[in-house]
Amino acid sequence: MAATSSSLSSCLLSDHGIAAGDPAKCYTAKQAVSAKSLSMSSRLRHSMEASRLSSTTTRGPARCCSAVETKISPLFTLGKKFHLDDVIEAQQFDRDTLNAIFEVAREMEEIEMNPSGSQILKGFIMATLFYEPSTRTRLSFECAMKRLGGEVLTTENAREFSSAAKGETLEDTIRTVEGYSDIIVLRHFESGATRRAAATASIPVINAGDGPGQHPTQALLDIYTIDREIGKLDGIKVALVGDLANGRTVRSLAYLLAKYKDVKIYFVSPEVVKMKDYLTSEGVEWEESADLIDVASKCDVVYQTRIQKERFGERTDLYEEARGKYIVDSDVLDVMQKHAVVMHPLPRLDEITVDVDLDPRAAYFRQAKNGLYIRMALLKLLLVGW
C-alpha cells in the first residue's frame, strides 16, 4: 500500500516526532507504519464486501457516501482507502478533506434515520480506552459503531480500573488491546498520548481528547455544526470564550477555522500564546477582548466553554477567580444577531444559564448530536475507506 513508500513513511515518521536520519528509531517506526498498512490491507476484502452489503440497508441503491463521488480529488474516490491512518490532531485535515468528510457525515445522517440501519462495519470491533471521564464522546463513538453494524469493547475509567493502575505503560496496553479490536478510540490525561499510541499500534487510533492537548473529533463536529447552522465557513466571526488556556476543544477548533478564508476569532479568555502564534502564521485575524457583550454583538458564533476545575490542581483560588467571569445569559442573547448561534462542547456548569436553552440560537444540543454523524463518518472512512 502507499503508506509503505519511502516518502510517505518519512512523513509519518516526522508526524511521530522521529527524525528520518535516526536509523534505529526509523527502523522501528517504519516497521510500525508498515504493520499498520498491512493490517489494514488484510481487511480490505472484508471491507469491500461489507460496503457492498451495506448499500442494501440504506435508503435507495448505493446511497452510502454517494455524494463523495462528485469530488475531483482522486483521494476521495468511492471505494478508495482513506489517506489518514489515524486521527491525532486537527492540523492533519486540509479544507478538501474536511469538505469530503462532511459529505460522508450527511450520508450518515440518512443512515441514522433509517430504521433498518447499516451493516457496513459488521465484523469490526472498536475498543474505547478512556482514562478520563466522558459521556458524550464515549457514548457517541459507541453509538456510531453500533449504528454501522460493528461491535464495541469499552472501559470508561481505564486510569483506575485497568492495568494502568498496576503500572502498565500505555504502549503495552495498546499492544494488548489491538489484538482484540480493529480500531482504538483513546482519551488520555496526558497531552501527546494518542501520538504515542498511534506510533505503537498496527490498527487505526482516534484521539478522543488528550489532556490539555487536542480533541480533533470535537473540532470536526464543531466545524460541521457551524456550517449547518450558519450556512458558511468563510468570512465568519467566532468568539471563543472561557478557559482557553486548558481548553483542548477550542484549540482544535481554532486550528480548523484557520483553514477557511476571512475568519476572525475573538478571544474572551486567559492568555493562549501558542494558539495565537499559530493563527497569526496562518493569516487568521484575531483579537482579544474582556467585553463579552460587545464581542457577542459582532459574531456569528459564540463558542462558550467551562472553566475546567480538574486542570487547576490544588490552585482552587485561581479556579474560583476564573469561574463565573463570562456567562452567556439573556443579556448576551439580546445583543446577538438573529442568525448567530451559541455553541458549547459540554458539559456545562453555570457558564450558560438554562433559560438560554429555549432560544433557537442555542445550538449546543444539536452540536452534540452532530458528533454522532462525524464519528460514524470517521469510523467508516478509517475501516472501510471512501
Side-chain angles (χ1 to χ4, degrees), residues 246-259:
N246 299 303
R248 60 194 176 201
T249 58
V250 289
R251 183 173 293 107
S252 294
L253 174 57
Y255 288 144
L256 290 191
L257 286 171
K259 309 296 182 184

Side-chain angles (χ1 to χ4, degrees), residues 67-81:
V68 181
E69 290 184 88
T70 62
K71 292 294 174 185
I72 297 174
S73 173
L75 284 175
F76 311 133
T77 304
L78 190 65
K80 191 176 182 65
K81 181 183 179 295

Side-chain angles (χ1 to χ4, degrees), residues 130-132 155-166 188-190:
F130 278 64
Y131 290 78
E132 285 190 322
T155 175
E156 64 175 306
N157 193 354
R159 190 175 190 176
E160 183 177 352
F161 298 115
S162 76
S163 291
K166 304 174 185 177
H188 204 274
F189 50 89
E190 292 181 355

Side-chain angles (χ1 to χ4, degrees), residues 29-329:
K30 284 181 180 177
Q31 283 184 313
V33 171
S34 179
K36 181 167 292 191
S37 300
L38 289 172
S39 176
M40 295 307 296
S41 295
S42 67
R43 298 184 178 91
L44 184 58
R45 285 193 297 273
H46 170 90
S47 300
M48 292 176 66
E49 178 64 13
S51 181
R52 182 187 66 79
L53 291 173
S54 72
S55 67
T56 63
T57 64
T58 58
R59 276 192 277 182
R63 285 291 295 164
C64 184
C65 308
S66 60
V68 181
E69 290 184 88
T70 62
K71 292 294 174 185
I72 297 174
S73 173
L75 284 175
F76 311 133
T77 304
L78 190 65
K80 191 176 182 65
K81 181 183 179 295
F82 191 42
H83 60 288
L84 299 177
D85 287 325
D86 310 284
V87 174
I88 300 173
E89 60 184 6
Q91 293 95 313
Q92 288 177 276
F93 300 93
D94 58 28
R95 183 167 175 153
D96 288 340
T97 301
L98 291 172
N99 292 340
I101 290 172
F102 296 162
E103 291 290 345
V104 179
R106 291 184 181 95
E107 295 289 339
M108 296 300 110
E109 291 190 38
E110 295 189 17
I111 288 176
E112 194 263 344
M113 291 187 293
N114 189 336
S116 62
S118 171
Q119 295 298 308
I120 195 171
L121 296 185
K122 183 177 182 179
F124 287 98
I125 297 175
M126 177 186 72
T128 55
L129 283 174
F130 278 64
Y131 290 78
E132 285 190 322
S134 172
T135 302
R136 277 152 296 278
T137 302
R138 183 173 64 87
L139 291 181
S140 65
F141 264 115
E142 293 177 6
C143 180
M145 191 66 176
K146 289 181 177 291
R147 291 285 190 194
L148 294 175
E151 299 294 333
V152 175
L153 301 175
T154 186
T155 175
E156 64 175 306
N157 193 354
R159 190 175 190 176
E160 183 177 352
F161 298 115
S162 76
S163 291
K166 304 174 185 177
E168 183 175 59
T169 66
L170 174 63
E171 286 78 5
D172 282 359
T173 298
I174 294 298
R175 290 188 183 100
T176 300
V177 172
E178 71 175 354
Y180 311 142
S181 58
D182 301 290
I183 189 167
I184 295 172
V185 179
L186 175 67
R187 169 167 288 187
H188 204 274
F189 50 89
E190 292 181 355
S191 180
T194 306
R195 187 176 293 280
R196 289 166 48 203
T200 301
S202 62
I203 61 175
V205 177
I206 299 177
N207 182 359
D210 58 344
Q214 286 208 42
H215 197 345
T217 68
Q218 178 71 45
L220 289 171
L221 75 90
D222 290 341
I223 290 288
Y224 185 67
T225 299
I226 294 171
D227 188 33
R228 301 288 267 178
E229 297 284 336
I230 304 299
K232 64 178 183 177
L233 290 164
D234 290 318
I236 62 173
K237 296 179 180 179
V238 180
L240 301 180
V241 186
D243 186 2
L244 307 190
N246 299 303
R248 60 194 176 201
T249 58
V250 289
R251 183 173 293 107
S252 294
L253 174 57
Y255 288 144
L256 290 191
L257 286 171
K259 309 296 182 184
Y260 296 91
K261 298 176 181 178
D262 302 321
V263 171
K264 182 169 183 178
I265 298 176
Y266 292 88
F267 294 102
V268 188
S269 68
E271 185 71 14
V272 199
V273 175
K274 187 174 182 180
M275 181 168 61
K276 294 172 186 174
D277 287 347
Y278 174 84
L279 295 176
T280 299
S281 70
E282 294 294 311
V284 177
E285 185 181 359
W286 59 266
E287 179 181 322
E288 288 184 300
S289 176
D291 189 340
L292 177 57
I293 294 291
D294 177 61
V295 169
S297 69
K298 303 173 183 177
C299 287
D300 302 286
V301 179
V302 175
Y303 192 99
Q304 175 70 294
T305 65
R306 71 183 174 91
I307 303 299
Q308 300 180 57
K309 185 177 182 179
E310 65 271 24
R311 308 293 180 205
F312 283 80
E314 296 179 357
R315 297 300 308 271
T316 56
D317 56 324
L318 295 179
Y319 168 73
E320 292 298 334
E321 180 183 338
R323 181 184 176 187
K325 187 172 184 179
Y326 300 111
I327 295 178
V328 174
D329 55 17

